[in-house]
Amino acid sequence: MKYFKRRKLLQIAQSILIVSLVTVFYTNILQASQTTVALTLLLSVLFVATLWGHGVGITTSVVAAFLYNYYFLPPIHSFMVSDQQNWFALVAFLAVSITASRLSQNARNRAREATRRRREVERLYDFSQQLLTTDNVLELFNTLPEMIRSVFQCESVAMFIRERRRIYRSEKALQSLGDAELQIAATQTEIQWKDDNACYIPLRIGTRILGALGISGGVPSRETLEALSSLVAVAAERAGTVEQLGKTEAARESERLRSALLDSVTHELRTPLTGITAAITSLRSGIALSEEQRDEMLAVIEQESTRLNNLISQAVEMAQLDAGQVPLEMHPQSVPDLLKSVLEDVTFDPKKHPVQLRVPDGLPTVAMDKRMIIKVMHHLLENALKYSEPGKPIILSAEKDSGHLLLSVADRGAGIDPMEQSLIFDKFYRGQGQRYRISGTGMGLAIAKAIVEAHGGTISVTSQLGQGSVFTVSLPLYSRVRQTIEAD
């Protein structure tokens, strides 16, 4: 406030100096008619009003009128006006200068408003382009608040979706946007203003309200807010439609899973059953067996039974993930602690397979279901240990990149053929070169992919034959999902 007052006083002083210099010029340097002087002073007032606003312009108009009267209207060097016509000239000068100042301020305000609206339209366009280019629609809810905050230069953005009963917040979330206010705004039809610097906008599709959007700091105009809410509502509806299509696809996938299970019986189920049957037949045949042979038969039965149990457990877990029946317990987790838990959970020989952990300092905590993500990383690390040659190092790393946490497992194994890289995340698919050499069910990567996508992330692989593979899990840093929010 003090800075504003000092700046305004400086502007007034500069404007008085301008009209004073004009007066000195016409009194001491160039003799001119009263009309010329009046027009020059009027031009000075117009310039000042355009540059610094209406208030400074009016002050300048009054000072210019007094100078014009004192130095140019007879009697000179007196504020008295002897001629009635000069009275009309002085009043006309003052009225014209004030009017010109006001018109100049109006033009300035309109130019500012036009510039502001142009910027908001450009930001709306940028925002709509980002919405259209978002590949992962299900991740959209996690990234929308931060996207809005970044594009419109706001301090904080929060979004409540009624159907999901969740609140999503931007990276720099402020407590001024409360949960209760957001839920109340989702029952209204008009914009709710908390103050000049915060508001809540309902997200509507026609007459149906999908939720509410809260913005604090740097709030755009009402027209822009309405356009923004329409774009967000359309995006939310699109995400809901995609999710519904996903559920339909999950039902079809469930049927495909049943077929795949039947097809896999010939190898994945029949192989351990054959081993168990052969071992039991040998034990019951009455043939004299040594103690070592009997132990070997029992070990085969135990090993193949465990293999069958793991296959059935993974099939059940895969079906639950496809149907969305596995609830996620989202809590902020420390990335170094997460990866240390992964290493403690996996059994390996450091001399045979040295594992290097690379985690930079300063990684933020990330909202995730720790148990499920450990399961994903456990499987990726076990795969690397299983398919790597002895003595080759395996690198477990983490890094931050463009609003995402990247967790990677890199090995120097045989690599994956480019034709197979898009298939290895499918259920029951196993690489052609490893299918019969190394045991497995072909569901581990499919389960890992389902868990990661349930977190709003992605999983990918980069591989080169003979050089090894890098599996990367990408999780959004700023999901900040608040669960178990009940709608009114």
Side-chain angles (χ1 to χ4, degrees):
M1 183 62 70
K2 290 182 180 179
Y3 169 76
F4 176 77
K5 289 182 178 179
R6 286 198 300 267
R7 188 180 65 175
K8 186 61 67 176
L9 289 175
L10 180 61
Q11 292 172 352
I12 292 174
Q14 290 174 331
S15 65
I16 293 175
L17 178 62
I18 290 173
V19 294
S20 297
L21 290 175
V22 171
T23 303
V24 170
F25 177 77
Y26 281 119
T27 55
N28 297 323
I29 299 176
L30 178 65
Q31 299 296 322
S33 65
Q34 294 177 356
T35 303
T36 302
V37 174
L39 289 175
T40 305
L41 289 173
L42 185 61
L43 184 62
S44 301
V45 171
L46 188 62
F47 170 76
V48 167
T50 303
L51 193 61
W52 293 317
H54 182 53
V56 178
I58 290 179
T59 303
T60 309
S61 300
V62 174
V63 173
F66 277 109
L67 292 175
Y68 182 61
N69 178 24
Y70 189 81
Y71 287 102
F72 300 103
L73 293 181
I76 305 299
H77 299 155
S78 172
F79 289 108
M80 298 297 296
V81 180
S82 59
D83 192 346
Q84 186 176 5
Q85 290 184 355
N86 290 336
W87 273 110
F88 285 117
L90 182 62
V91 172
F93 172 80
L94 185 60
V96 170
S97 61
I98 293 175
T99 303
S101 173
R102 183 62 181 174
L103 292 174
S104 175
Q105 176 66 21
N106 290 341
R108 184 186 182 195
N109 291 340
R110 284 195 293 270
R112 283 180 176 177
E113 181 68 15
T115 301
R116 183 182 63 82
R117 289 183 179 275
R118 176 181 58 79
R119 289 176 180 172
E120 290 185 350
V121 169
E122 291 174 351
R123 289 171 177 173
L124 279 172
Y125 176 77
D126 291 341
F127 179 68
S128 64
Q129 290 297 108
Q130 291 186 33
L131 286 181
L132 291 174
T133 56
T134 301
D135 295 330
N136 191 345
V137 180
L138 297 180
E139 188 186 344
L140 186 63
F141 290 128
N142 294 328
T143 58
L144 258 177
E146 178 61 21
M147 190 187 302
I148 295 171
R149 189 198 69 79
S150 176
V151 171
F152 291 91
Q153 304 297 311
C154 306
E155 291 182 4
S156 179
V157 178
M159 182 176 65
F160 170 60
I161 302 298
R162 294 177 66 178
E163 185 176 347
R164 292 172 175 259
R165 297 181 180 179
R166 291 180 180 177
I167 289 180
Y168 305 82
R169 295 184 180 274
S170 61
E171 174 185 354
K172 298 179 179 179
L174 301 179
Q175 295 301 322
S176 57
L177 299 174
D179 298 351
E181 289 88 344
L182 276 169
Q183 295 180 64
I184 292 173
T187 63
Q188 307 297 317
T189 58
E190 299 295 333
I191 299 176
Q192 305 296 311
W193 294 89
K194 184 175 181 180
D195 51 48
D196 292 339
N197 211 33
C199 67
Y200 299 95
I201 314 103
L203 303 177
R204 294 187 300 171
I205 292 286
T207 58
R208 187 161 59 91
I209 298 179
L210 306 180
L213 188 68
I215 298 179
S216 176
V219 179
S221 64
R222 176 181 289 273
E223 295 79 5
T224 300
L225 288 174
E226 291 176 351
L228 175 62
S229 67
S230 298
L231 286 173
V232 174
V234 170
E237 183 74 2
R238 175 183 171 218
T241 302
V242 170
E243 187 175 33
Q244 187 61 40
L245 289 173
K247 291 179 179 179
T248 304
E249 185 64 27
R252 296 176 183 172
E253 188 68 14
S254 179
E255 292 296 326
R256 195 176 75 86
L257 175 61
R258 294 189 184 94
S259 299
L261 277 170
L262 292 175
D263 293 339
S264 68
V265 166
T266 56
H267 180 72
E268 300 298 340
L269 293 179
R270 184 170 293 175
T271 300
L273 284 174
T274 301
I276 293 172
T277 303
I280 293 176
T281 301
S282 298
L283 290 172
R284 298 183 62 182
S285 63
I287 300 175
L289 299 174
S290 66
E291 190 67 24
E292 183 180 352
Q293 290 174 324
R294 290 178 60 83
D295 289 342
E296 183 179 351
M297 294 296 178
L298 292 174
V300 169
I301 294 173
E302 182 180 12
Q303 180 181 352
E304 298 300 333
S305 298
T306 301
R307 182 178 173 185
L308 273 176
N309 184 60
N310 290 338
L311 177 61
I312 294 171
S313 298
Q314 288 183 343
V316 171
E317 184 177 19
M318 189 73 254
Q320 290 175 337
L321 286 167
D322 282 343
Q325 295 178 355
V326 179
L328 298 180
E329 298 180 3
M330 306 288 286
H331 300 288
Q333 303 293 341
S334 167
V335 178
D337 292 345
L338 172 77
L339 296 184
K340 288 178 183 177
S341 298
V342 173
L343 289 178
E344 293 171 358
D345 194 47
V346 178
T347 302
F348 63 95
D349 184 356
K351 295 181 180 179
K352 184 178 180 181
H353 290 293
V355 178
Q356 301 175 10
L357 183 60
R358 298 180 182 177
V359 182
D361 296 331
L363 285 179
T365 58
V366 182
M368 66 176 76
D369 187 318
K370 183 176 181 181
R371 179 181 63 87
M372 301 298 281
I373 296 300
I374 286 179
K375 182 179 292 187
V376 172
M377 301 306 296
H378 184 160
H379 179 78
L380 295 181
L381 186 55
E382 279 196 333
N383 265 10
L385 293 168
K386 186 185 299 183
Y387 293 103
S388 294
E389 296 294 331
K392 299 292 186 180
I394 294 170
I395 301 174
L396 182 60
S397 62
E399 62 178 319
K400 177 183 175 183
D401 179 55
S402 302
H404 287 76
L405 172 69
L406 303 183
L407 302 174
S408 302
V409 177
D411 63 60
R412 296 183 183 177
I416 304 170
D417 188 276
M419 298 295 293
E420 294 185 304
Q421 291 180 20
S422 61
L423 303 173
I424 59 174
F425 294 103
D426 291 346
K427 302 180 189 70
F428 299 108
Y429 184 86
R430 303 190 63 217
Q432 299 289 341
Q434 312 294 338
R435 184 171 300 175
Y436 302 107
R437 188 171 67 86
I438 299 176
S439 62
T441 63
M443 283 195 294
L445 287 177
I447 291 174
K449 180 183 178 183
I451 292 174
V452 172
E453 289 182 347
H455 281 75
T458 59
I459 183 171
S460 59
V461 62
T462 302
S463 184
Q464 185 176 356
L465 289 175
Q467 301 297 320
S469 305
V470 180
F471 284 85
T472 302
V473 173
S474 174
L475 299 174
L477 278 177
Y478 308 116
S479 57
R480 301 201 178 190
V481 178
R482 291 193 178 184
Q483 296 182 334
T484 65
I485 296 178
E486 297 295 334
D488 291 338

